[in-house]
Amino acid sequence: MQSAPSSLIDLNIGPSGRAVAQPMDLDLLEALYQHTSLERVSSAQYLAMSLWFLERELRGFSSFFKNESLSEQEHGFNFAKYLIARGQTVELEEVTKPIQEWKTVQELLTLSFQMEADVTSSVQQIYSLAERSNDTRTTVFLDPVIDEQIKSEDEMAYLLGKVKFADNDPSALLIIDNELNNK
Ligand SMILES: [Fe+2]
């Protein structure tokens, strides 16, 4: 006798009620939630940096960090969207208060470079969790994210290098600010 048609197939249903093609490993899921938060925390931190520059008449730096803030927000959204595509629900965490005080531009840039490196480490951790649980969908999702992180680290290192070279000299900082304004 032929088996019954597809209406009797048992589907995996996620917490949002969506059909799930491949259930997710719990550690991987937790890491993806944490990363979504990290992107949102980074977005708030970059916004604080943008305002710090705006208060100091450095509009080029300010707009650079405003764009960084917006792109981190977009990244956070993309991670949440990916979780939803995988049948999960997304509960948003509280965003921690950003640091708003720096003594020098170099100190600020050092933090922003470190933030990018931390985001990349977090993505790498998710990547290995995904590989361990044979979750190819997640590694494919992460590939362009890693590519973009390498570019962000490069850009931040370049800017930090220039600021270091300027050695807190206002006229040199104004030249960099001007370059960022014309981007
Ligand atoms: Fe990001």
Side-chain angles (χ1 to χ4, degrees), residues 129-148:
L129 285 170
E131 281 185 324
R132 228 178 293 161
S133 57
N134 291 321
D135 197 320
T136 313
R137 290 172 179 83
T138 299
T139 55
V140 169
F141 165 71
L142 292 177
D143 280 332
V145 176
I146 292 175
D147 198 39
E148 212 176 312

Side-chain angles (χ1 to χ4, degrees), residues 61-156:
F61 279 102
S62 179
S63 82
F64 173 83
F65 280 101
K66 182 187 166 201
N67 288 334
E68 289 298 309
S69 174
L70 293 175
S71 70
E72 301 309 346
Q73 201 174 27
E74 188 70 24
H75 297 162
F77 179 77
N78 282 340
F79 273 83
K81 199 172 146 206
Y82 176 68
L83 284 162
I84 290 168
R86 294 293 303 272
Q88 306 299 324
T89 49
V90 179
E91 201 179 316
L92 297 175
E93 301 279 335
E94 200 174 345
V95 174
T96 48
K97 188 179 185 300
I99 298 168
Q100 291 194 279
E101 276 175 41
W102 295 276
K103 286 188 198 77
T104 60
V105 174
Q106 190 180 324
E107 190 183 303
L108 183 155
L109 258 300
T110 304
L111 175 65
S112 56
F113 177 75
Q114 191 53 52
M115 278 168 52
E116 288 301 332
D118 289 346
V119 168
T120 311
S121 307
S122 168
V123 177
Q124 278 174 322
Q125 267 171 7
I126 302 170
Y127 206 98
S128 46
L129 285 170
E131 281 185 324
R132 228 178 293 161
S133 57
N134 291 321
D135 197 320
T136 313
R137 290 172 179 83
T138 299
T139 55
V140 169
F141 165 71
L142 292 177
D143 280 332
V145 176
I146 292 175
D147 198 39
E148 212 176 312
Q149 272 312 118
I150 295 167
K151 285 182 196 138
S152 295
E153 286 175 348
D154 178 37
E155 192 158 20
M156 235 26 122

